[in-house]
Amino acid sequence: MDPAKARSLVERLVTLSSLSGYEQKICDFVSSYIEALGFAVETQEVYKTGYNVVTRLGRGDKVLFCGHLDVVPEFDMVDAFNPRVVDDRVYGRGACDMKGGVASLLLLLESVREMKTEPDVTFAFVVDEEMYGRGAAELILHGTRAEVCVITEPTNNVVCPGTASCMEFRLTALGTSGHGASRSERNAIKTLMRFLDVFEQRLTKELTVLDDEYPMEPIINIGRFEGGFGPWVIPPKASCEVLVHMHPKITYRTGTEVLENVFSGIVKEHGVMMELTMLHGCDGYLIPRQNPYLKLLQLAYIDETGQHPRMGYMESENDGNAIFHKGGIPCIVYGPGDIAYAHSSQEHVSIKDVIECY
């Protein structure tokens, strides 16, 4: 594979701003790209401003290759949709999550034309993964079935036969308003901050799984913090939104039971007024180590690189959670890019990794 060709494709994909819910341009591009290769395209409307792009080869019922087209907003990334190249890396919003993986799939689809016998596979490029997963849900509603699904999310080319469970919730501390020059102890922001110090330590301890081939501590992210009216007013209310990713052995139900116990225990110990509101959640999944397609992917990796692949879990929710639980399709996540750079101001993907994934 020509690195210049792969780099050009990734750059083109990055230039197409495709925020969740507004993927029309990139959907049109991918659809045209596939049709130019000589394959028939099926479009599945998810909403008026974005649709799934699907092409089925043969019966299409053995392997489902899946990638999402949407990206998160620019946030603090400068010129997010104007890709820049540094050595082997393409920088830009979505380069890692997951236009590098989409490029690997498009390159793979192009190479299928050279095969003597057309394989029974489906390629699906879906929308809305970063928000509500409506693209993956629509894919299943349209009757897509396969023996396995390979999702090219950024895993640093680690082969992941499992994906994390998650739960999202809001913590709210209640206090009493007052003058900013008084010595009140009912400052809701201070209450919430003190609560979080204890809460994160205890929740981490309770949700850590060590007795597994791939042990995992929970990943706890405080993504939003709100409260107060200004420095002259003691805030009567403060809240934060928290996302927790857990080992796939821990279900959402079990995770919330642990969460509620930790929450109520700290509230009782410290005598504070707090509220817990659940916002979202999903169950993770594990596929058997003896899955024949997992073994094939491992062998393919060895053939390509001369090394055994690293194995682990995808420590984030992705479309695999819905495809596995709603579609009954075992999912393997394997793709280029490091999730540590996804959604960040330094988001990038290595072209070498894109080609290796392909």
Side-chain angles (χ1 to χ4, degrees):
M1 171 55 61
D2 179 9
K5 179 178 180 179
R7 182 176 63 249
S8 176
L9 179 55
V10 173
E11 287 183 85
R12 181 72 181 102
L13 292 169
V14 170
T15 64
L16 297 167
S17 172
S18 54
L19 301 183
S20 303
Y22 302 94
E23 302 98 335
Q24 179 81 43
K25 288 182 180 179
I26 196 169
C27 295
D28 292 345
F29 172 82
V30 171
S31 179
S32 297
Y33 190 98
I34 294 173
E35 287 178 336
L37 295 176
F39 298 110
V41 170
E42 172 192 344
T43 59
Q44 301 172 351
E45 183 181 289
V46 180
Y47 29 71
K48 296 301 182 183
T49 50
Y51 57 88
N52 293 342
V53 181
V54 180
T55 184
R56 291 185 171 86
L57 285 60
R59 295 190 308 275
D61 60 356
K62 288 196 178 298
V63 180
L64 167 64
F65 292 103
C66 186
H68 71 82
L69 300 175
D70 62 316
V71 300
V72 298
E74 301 94 316
F75 302 132
D76 58 340
M77 189 173 206
V78 179
D79 283 338
F81 300 107
N82 182 22
R84 59 187 178 94
V85 179
V86 179
D87 298 326
D88 172 57
R89 303 182 301 276
V90 176
Y91 286 77
R93 176 59 77 233
C96 169
D97 188 12
M98 56 168 288
K99 290 178 178 179
V102 168
S104 295
L105 294 182
L106 290 174
L107 294 170
L108 175 61
L109 182 56
E110 182 172 351
S111 71
V112 169
R113 295 184 305 178
E114 302 168 9
M115 295 182 178
K116 293 181 180 179
T117 304
E118 191 172 81
D120 297 316
V121 300
T122 295
F123 286 78
F125 302 90
V126 302
V127 297
D128 197 51
E129 188 272 348
E130 298 287 3
M131 290 294 290
Y132 308 109
R134 289 172 288 184
E138 194 70 32
L139 191 67
I140 299 304
L141 287 173
H142 274 74
T144 300
R145 296 295 181 268
E147 294 176 7
V148 71
C149 175
V150 177
I151 303 174
T152 52
E153 284 272 14
T155 66
N156 254 340
N157 285 353
V158 173
V159 176
C160 298
T163 287
S165 305
C166 78
M167 52 186 177
E168 186 177 345
F169 51 90
R170 181 185 297 111
L171 296 172
T172 303
L174 303 175
T176 302
S177 62
H179 195 284
S182 67
R183 301 183 185 278
S184 170
E185 296 297 322
R186 299 298 301 278
N187 185 309
I189 291 178
K190 289 184 177 181
T191 297
L192 182 56
M193 292 172 66
R194 287 192 293 263
F195 182 91
L196 286 171
D197 281 342
V198 180
F199 174 77
E200 186 166 355
Q201 293 177 22
R202 292 194 186 176
L203 195 62
T204 297
K205 181 180 178 180
E206 293 296 324
L207 294 178
T208 295
V209 174
L210 297 176
D211 60 338
D212 186 81
E213 185 177 3
Y214 310 118
M216 178 181 171
E217 285 189 0
I219 300 171
I220 302 174
N221 181 55
I222 301 170
R224 176 178 295 183
F225 198 108
E226 297 177 327
F229 300 95
W232 287 100
V233 179
I234 294 171
K237 185 177 181 179
S239 66
C240 65
E241 292 182 6
V242 184
L243 174 64
V244 178
H245 281 102
M246 311 169 286
H247 194 285
K249 282 184 176 179
I250 303 175
T251 64
Y252 171 77
R253 181 181 292 275
T254 300
T256 54
E257 289 175 355
V258 171
L259 170 64
E260 289 167 355
N261 287 337
V262 168
F263 174 83
S264 60
I266 300 173
V267 167
K268 185 176 181 179
E269 287 176 26
H270 292 258
V272 292
M273 295 180 62
M274 297 281 301
E275 295 176 350
L276 169 64
T277 306
M278 300 308 299
L279 302 175
H280 167 74
C282 69
D283 287 330
Y285 65 84
L286 302 167
I287 69 170
R289 300 294 187 274
Q290 63 270 24
N291 182 287
Y293 289 102
L294 179 60
K295 291 183 177 180
L296 282 172
L297 179 53
Q298 291 172 303
L299 290 173
Y301 188 96
I302 293 169
D303 286 344
E304 175 64 26
T305 68
Q307 300 177 330
H308 287 272
R310 291 174 293 156
M311 304 289 291
Y313 296 137
M314 177 64 168
E315 295 184 330
S316 172
E317 179 185 6
N318 57 75
D319 282 331
N321 297 74
I323 291 170
F324 181 90
H325 289 290
K326 297 184 184 298
I329 304 173
C331 295
I332 304 169
V333 188
Y334 165 77
D338 187 338
I339 198 170
Y341 295 106
H343 301 189
S344 80
S345 62
Q346 296 299 314
E347 181 168 5
H348 66 270
V349 69
S350 160
I351 296 305
K352 176 182 176 293
D353 289 348
V354 170
I355 294 173
E356 182 181 291
C357 177
Y358 149 76

